[in-house]
Amino acid sequence: MNTTKTAGLLLGLAGFMLPLLITLPGLSFAGHIALGIFLMAAFFWMLEPIPIHGTSLLVIFLGVLLLSGQGPLYKDASAPLINPVSAEQGYTIPATALSASGTVWVKDSNQWSEIQVTLVEDQSGILTVEGDISPSAQIAVDVSHRSVNFVPRRFNDYIGTLANPIIILFLGGFMLAQGAVKYNFDKNLTRYLLKPFGTRPGAILVGLMMVTAVLSAFMSNTATTAMMMTVILPLIAQMGAADRFKTALALSIPIAANIGGIATPIGTPPNAIVIAALQKQDIAISFTEWMALTLPLVILVLAVAWFLLMKLFPPQITEIKSGADVSFNKSGKALTFYGIFLLTVLLWITESVHGISSSIVALLPIAGLALTEALEVKDIRQLPWEVLWLVAGGLALGLYMDHTGLATYLVSSISWASFGGFAVIAMFAVVAVVMSNFLSNTVTATLLMPLAVSIGILQNSGSLDIIELALVIGVGTSMAMVLPISTPPNAIAVSTGLVKTPDMAKIGVVIGFAGIMLMLAYALVYWPLLLN
Amino acid sequence: MNTNLFIMCIEDESEVLEAILRDLEMFEDYFRIEAAQSVDEAKEVLKVLINDGLKPALFICDHKMPGTTGVDYLVELSREEATSKAARMLLTGQAGQQDTIKAVNQAGLHYYLPKPWKPAELQRIVTELLTDFVSKNEDNLMAYMAVLDAEKLSEAMRNRNTYTDM
């Protein structure tokens, strides 16, 4: 185990212990536990002493164990309560019921609230207090009890994240992607779509970027990049040793794959974090709406990238032959797959017309490809299940940060209203892009989203749109491509030896910057048109 | 070197061994390259390397040597668990028909290159053998893209779902 991993492990464990050793006034005991898990998960996800999907499963496991109503900690726990005892003036309560900040906690129809009281009299441990306590409420005898200000959820809620509608949507996407690879659909489609772009280098670059973006909008960015590498390497072999356009081709693939992932809800996992977070606030974003919100941005950023690549790495070669033949697999199972693929995609992008949720449509490829055996058991075993677990862990973390009151607690210490809604959006856009250059995109979205949503709710005014805030985080993570470690597609491109890190960094910085500016311009001008 | 694979070259004549090693220099940053002048020496080196957690990717073996012959050693390697997955190549001018048949049928020989060889040819064959080995047996395929056949490795990544968006 190397130094980073050891440090990650130690910091994570220290992070877990810290909230249990100190008391944060106003935060429930459960909130302290959630903070411990949050800190541990953050360190584990950032420094990766254990695989990142392992951290996600740990997050779910600890949530069930330490926070759910069926776990050992809260199984039989209920805060000792008393009915208010009226005195001549106010109510009498035991001394343990009064918090350090002069409040008592009361529970009324399963809802906790904190009530400010004034101390009237202290008679050797029996206090008389005055405050706005409803006669039907019960008062917590001991404010330090672990059940005060916390109503544990069922453990089903936490493990349920593994089958959250957004996870099912992604599973549908994974089934389609697996089928595309199995029947060579992605590669043949690429060759077919590239044909009209001819042989001129500039036009081929447009074609490659467009096809890559379209595929990565429906398949994983990484799988798309690996596939596109097999397409561009024979093209690169035609170029002279000194032709810098090689770098342009090799860089165009990860750029287009990263950016293309933004275009649909299933394009890349951070999109799932955005949609699930909004879903929790009862805001449903349909497949069609998502595309309407993001596609114009994707096209614009791709155009910027194309321009940059042509400028920085001008081609010497004048004609590039693509040559490879298109030969679509025409077996019965392949045809079944094509049918299910096209129908699913069609139903997804027309969600706003028929109104059937994209997660329900996702069951079509899941069930359809399994029952026709277009995907066999061995294919299904190969699906990237760990990505689903990664997202589910993130959703579980968001869930209990929310209902232990931790998320609100963390953001309420700063008065966000004084910044104005746009400044908050701009800040999160920058933080998301910068963070995700160093961390996994999904992890970045997972860590930022609960905080952002809480700020959005706290400042529920016209100036801050919670959808825009969530969008800039999700989209921003996909704009991060400065370093080889920023995303797996970048890593693949650099591994070929055709792209040098400084070249990648140069373009990555410009795209990141342009991406932030364009996102904010959209947040100001374009998104409000669609959202209001 | 960020990988734990090695190539073992076994050849009794030191000038020939040096020539092989010189031709394999391009792989040095990615594979540890080991040399032995007899099968007995190779076995000892192998034991130490495997103990250190390294994995054999390719054996390049002469046939006529004092002691155990190359073909017999390759048969042995193909039967042992620790070495059976590695690619096996015979680089010789002196293997007779019987030995060659044995190498193909019993040692699952991957390539027979007759002496004298051209450096470019040896490099092409080694690249091919290592690419196949790595595609089938390794997880971190990216680590080898710059030195081996990047197109084939990309294809393997695509088929095996080696990397995912995280």
Side-chain angles (χ1 to χ4, degrees):
Chain A
M1 196 178 262
N2 61 34
T3 333
T4 319
K5 288 187 172 187
T6 315
L9 192 65
L10 294 176
L11 282 169
L13 295 176
F16 182 69
M17 298 306 293
L18 183 71
L20 303 177
L21 301 175
I22 55 170
T23 306
L24 301 165
L27 183 64
S28 66
F29 181 75
H32 284 78
I33 296 177
L35 180 59
I37 302 175
F38 176 74
L39 291 175
M40 182 178 67
F43 283 121
F44 281 4
W45 273 329
M46 286 192 267
L47 301 171
E48 290 184 45
I50 57 176
I52 53 179
H53 64 276
T55 301
S56 285
L57 292 174
L58 181 66
V59 161
I60 295 177
F61 180 45
L62 287 179
V64 169
L65 211 60
L66 300 179
L67 292 168
S68 80
Q70 286 72 38
L73 201 55
Y74 282 103
K75 190 156 65 81
D76 305 312
S78 55
L81 298 167
I82 49 166
N83 293 318
V85 182
S86 300
E88 280 171 39
Q89 214 181 2
Y91 301 97
T92 55
I93 56 168
T96 50
L98 188 68
S99 76
S101 48
T103 57
V104 295
W105 281 96
V106 301
K107 195 178 187 184
D108 196 357
S109 43
N110 221 22
Q111 287 276 330
W112 285 99
S113 50
E114 186 177 24
I115 290 171
Q116 191 70 44
V117 292
T118 44
L119 187 59
V120 181
E121 199 183 2
D122 182 352
Q123 260 182 356
S124 58
I126 305 294
L127 312 181
T128 307
V129 294
E130 254 185 337
D132 187 19
I133 300 171
S134 134
S136 65
Q138 291 184 300
I139 301 172
V141 176
D142 178 3
V143 280
S144 64
H145 192 274
R146 65 180 184 277
S147 288
V148 167
N149 190 22
F150 178 57
V151 183
R153 300 291 173 97
R154 293 177 316 149
F155 79 107
N156 310 35
D157 290 355
Y158 299 133
I159 57 172
T161 56
L162 289 163
N164 183 290
I166 197 75
I167 298 285
I168 299 302
L169 176 63
F170 266 68
L171 183 56
F174 287 175
M175 292 284 277
L176 291 180
Q178 189 72 15
V181 171
K182 180 174 181 181
Y183 297 106
N184 237 354
F185 184 57
D186 51 350
K187 216 167 183 175
N188 279 310
L189 193 65
T190 301
R191 288 176 178 156
Y192 180 75
L193 293 175
L194 277 178
K195 281 212 178 296
F197 289 91
T199 56
R200 278 178 37 239
I204 291 224
L205 190 63
V206 172
L208 285 171
M209 291 178 76
M210 269 182 54
V211 174
T212 307
V214 168
L215 285 176
S216 87
F218 292 95
M219 297 174 34
S220 102
N221 301 348
T222 313
T224 305
T225 303
M227 191 277 296
M228 289 304 293
M229 283 296 157
T230 68
V231 173
I232 64 157
L233 287 170
L235 307 184
I236 285 174
Q238 300 170 30
M239 295 177 204
D243 199 336
R244 297 212 70 201
F245 196 59
K246 287 177 182 176
T247 309
L249 282 194
L251 256 179
S252 72
I253 303 303
I255 292 173
N258 292 331
I259 297 295
I262 298 170
T264 70
I266 60 158
T268 188
N271 302 357
I273 304 286
V274 175
I275 291 175
L278 292 173
Q279 225 162 43
K280 221 166 58 186
Q281 307 306 323
D282 290 322
I283 302 168
I285 302 248
S286 72
F287 208 97
T288 324
E289 280 171 308
W290 178 280
M291 289 187 73
L293 288 166
T294 58
L295 194 57
L297 182 61
V298 166
I299 293 170
L300 215 53
V301 177
L302 286 177
V304 170
W306 179 84
F307 185 75
L308 268 177
L309 289 169
M310 290 300 285
K311 205 93 197 143
L312 287 174
F313 312 104
Q316 289 175 359
I317 194 169
T318 50
E319 192 192 38
I320 301 175
K321 293 188 233 23
S322 64
D325 287 333
V326 181
S327 63
F328 282 102
N329 185 333
K330 295 197 183 65
S331 68
K333 279 187 181 175
L335 295 175
T336 311
F337 167 73
Y338 303 150
I340 291 174
F341 185 97
L342 293 177
L343 185 59
T344 307
V345 170
L346 192 72
L347 288 173
W348 270 341
I349 61 181
T350 56
E351 184 183 336
S352 64
V353 178
H354 53 73
I356 297 170
S357 152
S358 49
S359 296
I360 295 175
V361 172
L363 291 169
L364 177 65
I366 297 172
L369 294 175
L371 69 90
T372 57
E373 286 193 86
L375 286 184
E376 294 157 76
V377 176
K378 69 175 165 56
D379 303 317
I380 294 169
R381 285 196 188 120
Q382 257 198 27
L383 296 181
W385 295 102
E386 77 277 15
V387 177
L388 299 183
W389 296 348
L390 171 64
V391 175
L395 300 183
L397 185 64
L399 203 62
Y400 54 74
M401 280 180 75
D402 184 32
H403 71 235
T404 57
L406 173 65
T408 315
Y409 179 86
L410 289 178
V411 300
S412 59
S413 52
I414 302 172
S415 74
W416 300 95
S418 59
F419 292 111
F422 183 71
V424 174
I425 289 179
M427 190 197 78
F428 270 99
V430 174
V431 172
V433 175
V434 172
M435 248 175 95
S436 125
N437 267 304
F438 300 96
L439 302 183
S440 132
N441 295 355
T442 315
V443 163
T444 305
T446 300
L447 293 176
L448 292 179
M449 200 59 75
L451 306 178
V453 169
S454 301
I455 293 172
I457 296 166
L458 274 186
Q459 199 190 332
N460 197 8
S461 61
S463 70
L464 179 63
D465 189 293
I466 194 167
I467 302 177
E468 290 183 6
L469 184 58
L471 266 179
V472 295
I473 294 174
V475 172
T477 60
S478 293
M479 301 268 189
M481 51 190 101
V482 173
L483 302 169
I485 58 152
S486 298
T487 71
N490 280 21
I492 293 177
V494 170
S495 300
T496 58
L498 293 162
V499 178
K500 298 277 169 282
T501 305
D503 287 334
M504 174 172 274
K506 221 183 301 171
I507 287 213
V509 167
V510 177
I511 291 180
F513 189 74
I516 293 173
M517 289 302 149
L518 289 170
M519 266 197 302
L520 295 179
Y522 273 69
L524 278 179
V525 182
Y526 175 66
W527 289 344
L529 296 179
L530 295 183
L531 295 172
N532 297 332
Chain B
M1 198 164 3
N2 50 7
T3 77
N4 66 341
L5 300 181
F6 66 88
I7 302 170
M8 172 78 81
C9 311
I10 308 143
E11 164 67 62
D12 57 334
E13 286 173 62
S14 33
E15 305 91 80
V16 182
L17 187 58
E18 267 163 40
I20 299 176
L21 295 179
R22 199 167 48 236
D23 292 347
L24 295 184
E25 258 170 24
M26 61 176 283
F27 300 100
E28 253 174 16
D29 290 343
Y30 301 86
F31 298 86
R32 194 159 150 171
I33 298 176
E34 292 292 333
Q37 288 192 289
S38 71
V39 168
D40 285 343
E41 191 189 342
K43 282 181 180 170
E44 265 174 43
V45 175
L46 189 68
K47 208 189 277 172
V48 173
L49 292 176
I50 289 178
N51 260 336
D52 287 351
L54 278 84
K55 283 197 293 187
L58 169 64
F59 289 88
I60 300 176
C61 204
D62 185 21
H63 175 54
K64 274 239 164 69
M65 290 182 287
T68 316
T69 64
V71 169
D72 284 340
Y73 185 45
L74 291 182
V75 173
E76 235 175 84
L77 289 173
S78 71
R79 291 182 181 160
E80 267 170 46
E81 208 193 327
T83 53
S84 64
K85 284 179 180 156
R88 291 175 291 278
M89 176 176 172
L90 207 51
L91 180 61
T92 180
Q94 297 153 305
Q97 201 187 12
Q98 284 309 314
D99 293 324
T100 311
I101 291 171
K102 188 176 179 187
V104 171
N105 289 348
Q106 293 181 35
L109 191 71
H110 293 87
Y111 210 94
Y112 184 113
L113 182 63
K115 286 178 187 169
W117 70 91
K118 292 195 187 78
E121 195 185 8
L122 179 64
Q123 287 163 357
R124 181 185 61 78
I125 294 159
V126 169
T127 302
E128 203 175 291
L129 293 177
L130 288 175
T131 303
D132 282 348
F133 173 83
V134 163
S135 303
K136 284 198 197 95
N137 299 295
E138 289 299 292
D139 290 325
N140 187 12
L141 301 184
M142 269 194 244
Y144 305 95
M145 279 180 102
V147 67
L148 301 181
D149 185 335
E151 194 183 334
K152 275 194 193 162
L153 289 176
S154 303
E155 185 65 36
M157 281 180 204
R158 166 173 173 263
N159 285 321
R160 283 174 47 194
N161 254 340
T162 318
Y163 302 103
T164 51
D165 289 12
M166 270 292 184

